[in-house]
Amino acid sequence: ISGGKRKTINKHKPWIETTYHGIVTENDDKVLLDPPLIALDKDAPLRYAESFEVTLTKEGEICGFRIHGQNVPFEAVVLDKSTGEGVIRAKDKLDCELQKEHTFTIQAYDCGEGPDGANMKKSHKATVHIQVNDINEYSPVFKEKSYKATVIEGKKYDSILKVEAVDADCSFQFSQICNYEIVTPDVPFTIDKDGFIKNTEKLSYGKEHMYKLTVTAYDCGKNRASEDVLVKISVKPTCKPSWQGFNKRIEYEPGTGSLALFPSMHLETCDEPITSIRANIELETNHIGKGCDRDTYSEKSLHKLCGASSGTVELLPAPSSSANWTVGLPTDNGHDSDQVFEFNGTQAIKVPDGMVSTSLKEPFTISVWMRHGPGAHEKETILCNSDKTEMNRHHYSLYVHNCRLILLLRQDPSEAENYKPAEFHWKLDQACDKEWHHYVLNVELPTVSLFVDGTTFEPFLVTEDYPLHSSKIETQLTIGACWQGGNARMAQFFRGNLAGLMIRSGKLENKKVIDCLYTCKEGLDVQLPEEVASAVKVEFNPNQSSLTVEGDDIDAFDKVMQHLSYLNSRQFPTPGIRHLRISTTVKCFNEESCVTVPDAEGYVMVLQPEEPKISLSGIDHFARSAAEFESQEGVTLFPELRIVSTITREVEADTESEATEGADDDPTVQEAVVSEEIMHNLDTCEVTVVGDELDGEHEGLEVDMSQLQQHSLEMSSSNLGLVITGVNTMANYEQVLHLIRYKNWHTEALFDRKFKLVCSELNGRYISNDFKVEVNVIHTANPVEHANNAMVQPNFINPVHHASVDLSGHNLVNAHQASVVPSAATIVIVVCVSFLVFMIILGVFRIRAAHQSTMSDQENGKENEMDWDDSALTITVNPMEVKTHREQNSTSQQNVVGWQPRQLFTC
């Protein structure tokens, strides 16, 4: 000790515990240590001595703590240097999910000696273990976006499927899923704490095909899943071998070509080993027309289209003005499908005499469509030619008896008196199966060949008979029964349906023509993929209404069924249902347990085609001079005829524009109507006279026969007009109709004639408007015969109007209409009229010179409205007509535009 002061020396190191344990909560920086962080130093003064002189020195004070370790996210801070108390705290927020525990070492150091801290002492290194406590910051998340499972109906499962959620929290408490819950109410399912779902009752496929459940999860901190998960449980019916994956209703839009019927179909065999499969697919079209959809043209037109055009006589035509013997028979009216005639066992018709002139000596053909059931054990006559009076002899007939088709042909009396084939018998199932069939009989005595639906059948029996005895009795041709001339009544009535009965001169031997006559326009089709073409065998029936598929590879078989399609080639098909049926048989390795596949059924719905509107237009009112009517060429009735066909479609309107423009006008209008011109054929155009019938002695209608022949059209005429028939384009019909001419050789009493034109398609299914044409006759008086009261009328002067004369229709003027007047009065009137005529002539010449140019303009402007010829128009004045000079002059000043052709007359 020097100078009265005691010198202090830093002799001791600080002391701390050897191990510390701490806890810190994530997202917090305060660490709770056990034991607390306190550093002791023996150099420090005794704080608690009772008598001690304390001198404040820095020896024994704790200046800090030092942490050793790499990237340690903690720091140690001295709270009191004199006591050595300190704390550990986090530098930044801690994340338990990244690191749950931290371990590092810590060391305390004192402040040393003197002001510069010399001789600083450090403690030993202590180990610090700090655990990061978790907070429940994360919610459960499901491992999958959705879950799917399939169960079989009628079975109760212990577990259907398991859903699983995870939690990102680091602690066991908050990272564990403690509970799952089905949120969807009233479903027959439950879920346990491990996520296993099971059904609480037996499920029924008929009640529900699929259940959709919403499932959530909770962690042990009661946090709910951030997003619930969708669970789909499909109920599969008890495995039954069957065709699956097809729609029972298949809609066919006309004009769309081929339509796949079963694009997703497959055969379920319930894992039964199959050795072979055979399926028959049948399209039922018996209720459509004559067994399926065909063009509904007349049978005569169909024969022409198929190439059998010569010498054809149609015995069951559609009722019309020229063929009215079928009017009394019930029909389907021939609109949507083929026209057929029904015979109920009490009905029969007589064919007019002269319709059939076929000689049995020459080859001829009979063809007919027939639908006939088993019926009674009596003869049922289809066609019969028998004695008209006195006797009951059958010259030839076609009839059905006990499911046999029989053709009777008795030879002419002129033949030699010896036996010859007279009856040909065919035993046919088709004659009694109540289905439509097409029959063609080629007759070339002594042989007859029969085709049924294009297949040849030979007669099983041919009987012979003597020729008929010579007789002058006329014959009667009947359909549906046979006429008994001796009893004057019908007998052997037919029960069933007939259509298209034809007799044609010459044989019909071309198989293509015969096939064409009965082939359907609708049917089944299949385009085999190359990879399955060799593995599967496909066979069609003749009219493609059914097909058979055979194979042993189920996958290949399914592909064929998926490529099966329906096709209707008609432009305007018959709408309605076509039923589909699939009959399947399978063979297995074990025949005893082989599965049975039930029939699959559906239907094709052919939608209503858009109906065309056929419009006829052109010049409907014009005038011609009488000389043109009497000329060799006559007057053309339809020089500028135009035939147009349109369809009307409903299309969706522009919703955006309509919403702004017409929202307040009519909110219900959502569709727009659009007309579109289309092209199709016509099969009939009929020109009829309106008013009095045509008088063949002095008037008639003529057609260019070369044009008819060029376009394979036919024409029939009567006193009512003419009918052009045959299937051809609208353009070709226009050409023919343009050349129809009307002639009249005695026009003295004719003022006008009216005609009506109507065209149709598909045997009357679609009919045009009535296009009416009125043609007026311009008469020219003979100045020689009427020198005392006639004059040439200028072109621009109106004729005198007689309001009392009705010129509508075909009106003839009474040749003795003028009354006889006294001769004295006549002389006075003639003198007055002569003076009046002189004044008129003088005025007319002046007016004509002044208006010559105006007349040309008026005539040119008139052409579009009315075509008429007044080059030789003459007004003849009736001497009995009393008119003043002023009245006559006023009449002559009227403009020709107001002229009405039907008011021309001759006095």
Side-chain angles (χ1 to χ4, degrees):
I1 301 173
S2 175
K5 292 184 179 181
R6 187 178 62 180
K7 183 178 180 181
T8 59
I9 300 173
N10 189 16
K11 297 188 298 183
H12 298 83
K13 296 179 181 179
W15 179 88
I16 58 176
E17 299 286 346
T18 58
T19 304
Y20 292 90
H21 293 276
I23 297 174
V24 63
T25 302
E26 62 177 342
N27 298 329
D28 194 6
D29 62 348
K30 186 177 180 180
V31 179
L32 297 177
L33 281 179
D34 183 24
L37 181 60
I38 298 176
L40 300 177
D41 194 327
K42 290 183 179 182
D43 294 321
L46 297 175
R47 286 176 176 272
Y48 308 107
E50 293 183 0
S51 60
F52 192 83
E53 182 181 356
V54 179
T55 304
L56 295 177
T57 62
K58 59 191 257 182
E59 292 85 0
E61 290 184 351
I62 303 301
C63 273
F65 297 95
R66 182 172 296 168
I67 292 176
H68 298 277
Q70 187 174 3
N71 298 326
V72 178
F74 297 95
E75 62 181 1
V77 179
V78 177
L79 297 179
D80 190 337
K81 290 183 178 182
S82 62
T83 63
E85 183 181 356
V87 294
I88 296 177
R89 60 189 181 191
K91 296 179 182 179
D92 298 307
K93 291 183 179 181
L94 300 175
D95 191 346
C96 175
E97 286 72 35
L98 294 178
Q99 189 170 346
K100 293 181 180 180
E101 295 182 350
H102 296 268
T103 301
F104 54 90
T105 60
I106 190 170
Q107 191 178 28
Y109 59 93
D110 60 19
C111 294
E113 300 175 356
D116 56 355
N119 196 22
M120 182 185 67
K121 300 293 185 182
K122 299 179 182 179
S123 71
H124 63 273
K125 294 180 180 178
T127 302
V128 181
H129 298 281
I130 297 178
Q131 178 181 339
V132 182
N133 277 358
D134 187 24
I135 61 173
N136 196 8
E137 59 183 327
Y138 291 100
S139 298
V141 176
F142 286 95
K143 287 186 174 182
E144 304 290 340
K145 291 184 178 180
S146 64
Y147 293 86
K148 296 180 181 179
T150 301
V151 296
I152 298 176
E153 66 173 346
K155 185 178 178 181
K156 208 168 180 182
Y157 290 82
D158 294 331
S159 174
I160 296 175
L161 78 158
K162 180 183 179 182
V163 298
E164 187 176 359
V166 294
D167 194 306
D169 288 308
C170 66
S171 65
F172 178 83
Q173 177 186 3
F174 298 143
S175 65
Q176 293 301 306
I177 307 300
C178 282
N179 187 31
Y180 290 93
E181 181 184 342
I182 297 176
V183 181
T184 307
D186 303 326
V187 290
F189 298 93
T190 185
I191 187 170
D192 62 16
K193 63 183 183 63
D194 295 320
F196 289 100
I197 297 176
K198 65 180 180 179
N199 55 320
T200 58
E201 62 185 44
K202 293 180 179 180
L203 305 177
S204 171
Y205 178 79
K207 182 179 179 181
E208 193 71 46
H209 292 2
M210 176 185 287
Y211 290 91
K212 295 182 180 180
L213 314 177
T214 301
V215 176
T216 191
Y218 295 90
D219 62 20
C220 294
K222 297 185 179 180
N223 261 9
R224 180 171 173 170
S226 56
E227 289 186 7
D228 299 339
V229 72
L230 178 64
V231 179
K232 295 180 181 179
I233 300 178
S234 300
V235 181
K236 187 177 180 181
T238 304
C239 188
K240 298 176 182 178
S242 62
W243 288 105
Q244 298 180 4
F246 69 96
N247 294 324
K248 289 192 174 182
R249 176 187 171 97
I250 304 145
E251 291 189 352
Y252 181 79
E253 183 76 27
T256 56
S258 183
L259 173 67
L261 295 175
F262 315 114
S264 303
M265 172 179 272
H266 67 278
L267 180 62
E268 175 61 63
T269 60
C270 298
D271 299 327
E272 182 71 27
I274 304 296
T275 59
S276 67
I277 313 170
R278 176 186 173 91
N280 183 65
I281 302 93
E282 184 178 1
L283 178 72
E284 297 180 2
T285 60
N286 296 334
H287 60 293
I288 304 296
K290 298 192 292 286
C292 66
D293 213 2
R294 296 180 175 88
D295 284 330
T296 59
Y297 297 118
S298 68
E299 198 68 21
K300 195 170 187 177
S301 296
L302 290 174
H303 273 67
K304 278 193 175 183
L305 290 175
C306 290
S309 58
S310 61
T312 303
V313 178
E314 192 170 7
L315 299 181
L316 281 177
S320 65
S321 58
S322 58
N324 58 4
W325 62 89
T326 58
V327 170
L329 291 176
T331 70
D332 67 349
N333 296 324
H335 288 296
D336 286 343
S337 58
D338 294 326
Q339 187 173 56
V340 300
F341 296 90
E342 180 182 355
F343 295 84
N344 59 11
T346 62
Q347 298 163 315
I349 57 173
K350 295 181 178 180
V351 178
D353 296 339
M355 287 297 299
V356 178
S357 58
T358 302
S359 171
L360 300 184
K361 295 180 181 179
E362 301 295 333
F364 68 96
T365 301
I366 299 176
S367 63
V368 66
W369 283 94
M370 181 177 71
R371 178 169 61 185
H372 183 260
H377 300 289
E378 300 176 355
K379 292 182 179 180
E380 297 181 47
T381 301
I382 301 169
L383 176 69
C384 180
N385 185 261
S386 58
D387 290 332
K388 184 177 287 188
T389 59
E390 299 183 22
M391 291 189 288
N392 299 329
R393 297 180 304 170
H394 296 180
H395 293 252
Y396 63 87
S397 66
L398 180 65
Y399 61 93
V400 179
H401 187 210
N402 291 332
C403 295
R404 298 178 181 181
L405 183 68
I406 302 171
L407 177 66
L408 169 68
L409 289 171
R410 299 294 300 275
Q411 300 293 314
D412 290 338
S414 59
E415 298 292 335
E417 293 290 332
N418 53 9
Y419 278 107
K420 289 192 175 181
E423 277 190 346
F424 299 82
H425 297 245
W426 293 269
K427 191 172 184 179
L428 303 169
D429 294 335
Q430 293 89 333
C432 292
D433 62 2
K434 295 184 179 180
E435 303 291 345
W436 280 105
H437 298 284
H438 184 245
Y439 300 83
V440 175
L441 294 99
N442 277 323
V443 181
E444 186 176 17
L445 295 177
T447 61
V448 178
S449 56
L450 170 67
F451 294 87
V452 181
D453 296 336
T455 303
T456 305
F457 288 85
E458 295 295 330
F460 80 95
L461 176 64
V462 177
T463 62
E464 297 182 338
D465 202 347
Y466 283 108
L468 293 173
H469 296 293
S470 178
S471 173
K472 295 183 179 180
I473 302 175
E474 295 182 352
T475 59
Q476 176 65 59
L477 184 61
T478 55
I479 300 172
C482 206
W483 176 252
Q484 304 289 347
N487 304 326
R489 65 179 180 88
M490 293 285 188
Q492 301 174 5
F493 287 94
F494 180 79
R495 294 174 180 84
N497 297 98
L498 298 175
L501 180 57
M502 308 282 291
I503 290 185
R504 176 182 179 271
S505 61
K507 292 170 61 178
L508 192 60
E509 294 179 311
N510 192 327
K511 185 65 166 57
K512 290 184 178 180
V513 174
I514 295 174
D515 290 344
C516 173
L517 291 173
Y518 83 91
T519 299
C520 296
K521 293 290 185 178
E522 65 178 338
L524 299 173
D525 191 19
V526 63
Q527 298 294 330
L528 290 179
E530 292 183 2
E531 62 270 19
V532 302
S534 59
V536 178
K537 180 181 179 182
V538 179
E539 292 182 352
F540 286 89
N541 72 335
N543 60 2
Q544 291 193 261
S545 63
S546 69
L547 62 87
T548 302
V549 184
E550 292 185 66
D552 53 12
D553 186 334
I554 294 180
D555 292 336
F557 207 94
D558 288 345
K559 286 186 178 180
V560 172
M561 297 299 291
Q562 292 165 8
H563 285 78
L564 187 66
S565 61
Y566 169 80
L567 176 65
N568 194 315
S569 60
R570 292 191 65 192
Q571 186 176 11
F572 306 108
T574 303
I577 290 175
R578 278 78 162 160
H579 288 281
L580 280 167
R581 182 187 300 274
I582 304 176
S583 304
T584 311
T585 56
V586 297
K587 291 183 179 181
C588 310
F589 287 105
N590 187 352
E591 292 296 334
E592 294 181 359
S593 63
C594 193
V595 298
T596 301
V597 180
D599 291 352
E601 295 184 354
Y603 63 91
V604 177
M605 171 59 75
V606 178
L607 302 179
Q608 180 75 37
E610 294 167 330
E611 297 193 358
K613 180 182 179 182
I614 305 172
S615 301
L616 310 180
S617 60
I619 299 175
D620 59 358
H621 196 179
F622 58 91
R624 293 290 184 270
S625 66
E628 291 188 47
F629 286 91
E630 298 178 358
S631 67
Q632 186 66 29
E633 292 77 15
V635 174
T636 303
L637 292 181
F638 312 107
E640 297 184 17
L641 176 70
R642 179 82 195 283
I643 305 176
V644 176
S645 184
T646 57
I647 56 174
T648 302
R649 293 179 177 173
E650 291 184 351
V651 296
E652 292 185 1
D654 187 351
T655 54
E656 295 182 0
S657 61
E658 287 191 356
T660 57
E661 297 176 4
D664 298 332
D665 298 336
D666 188 359
T668 62
V669 177
Q670 298 179 351
E671 294 183 336
V673 177
V674 177
S675 292
E676 178 182 339
E677 185 173 340
I678 63 170
M679 300 301 295
H680 59 78
N681 291 329
L682 298 176
D683 62 357
T684 303
C685 280
E686 184 173 5
V687 181
T688 56
V689 63
V690 178
D692 296 340
E693 296 180 358
L694 293 172
D695 187 343
E697 294 185 359
H698 64 264
E699 62 178 340
L701 294 171
E702 291 186 0
V703 183
D704 190 324
M705 298 306 295
S706 62
Q707 283 288 329
L708 285 178
Q709 294 175 358
Q710 180 180 344
H711 300 304
S712 299
L713 299 175
E714 293 186 359
M715 186 270 293
S716 61
S717 61
S718 67
N719 56 356
L720 299 177
L722 59 84
V723 181
I724 300 174
T725 56
V727 181
N728 218 309
T729 63
M730 293 185 289
N732 288 341
Y733 262 95
E734 272 187 10
Q735 292 181 13
V736 173
L737 293 171
H738 284 167
L739 301 177
I740 293 181
R741 300 179 299 276
Y742 170 67
K743 294 182 180 181
N744 193 307
W745 300 275
H746 300 286
T747 59
E748 295 85 357
L750 179 67
F751 287 95
D752 59 40
R753 237 353 185 160
K754 296 178 181 178
F755 298 91
K756 180 179 73 174
L757 173 63
V758 178
C759 294
S760 64
E761 163 69 336
L762 293 174
N763 210 16
R765 180 174 176 182
Y766 303 119
I767 304 176
S768 74
N769 60 305
D770 292 352
F771 178 62
K772 296 182 179 179
V773 171
E774 179 178 345
V775 56
N776 298 103
V777 183
I778 303 173
H779 290 280
T780 303
N782 190 337
V784 176
E785 297 178 359
H786 306 279
N788 60 339
N789 59 7
M791 61 168 290
V792 178
Q793 178 179 346
N795 290 343
F796 57 87
I797 295 180
N798 257 0
V800 179
H801 292 191
H802 283 263
S804 61
V805 181
D806 180 13
L807 299 178
S808 62
H810 180 192
N811 297 308
L812 302 179
V813 176
N814 190 341
H816 303 285
Q817 183 177 358
S819 302
V820 178
V821 298
S823 58
T826 303
I827 294 173
V828 174
I829 291 173
V830 168
V831 172
C832 295
V833 170
S834 298
F835 178 77
L836 180 61
V837 168
F838 173 78
M839 297 299 295
I840 290 175
I841 293 174
L842 181 61
V844 164
F845 282 129
R846 292 183 177 181
I847 294 173
R848 183 163 186 168
H851 294 79
Q852 190 66 38
S853 61
T854 305
M855 177 58 199
S856 300
D857 294 338
Q858 289 172 342
E859 285 183 345
N860 293 335
K862 189 67 179 178
E863 285 181 357
N864 292 333
E865 180 181 356
M866 185 181 303
D867 185 11
W868 64 291
D869 186 358
D870 62 347
S871 59
L873 188 63
T874 302
I875 179 170
T876 305
V877 181
N878 190 336
M880 295 300 296
E881 192 74 22
V882 180
K883 277 186 177 283
T884 64
H885 181 280
R886 180 176 300 173
E887 291 173 336
Q888 192 73 21
N889 208 26
S890 174
T891 302
S892 66
Q893 297 297 324
Q894 296 177 5
N895 193 288
V896 74
V897 174
W899 177 79
Q900 298 294 327
R902 68 170 62 192
Q903 293 170 332
L904 293 176
F905 68 97
T906 302
C907 297

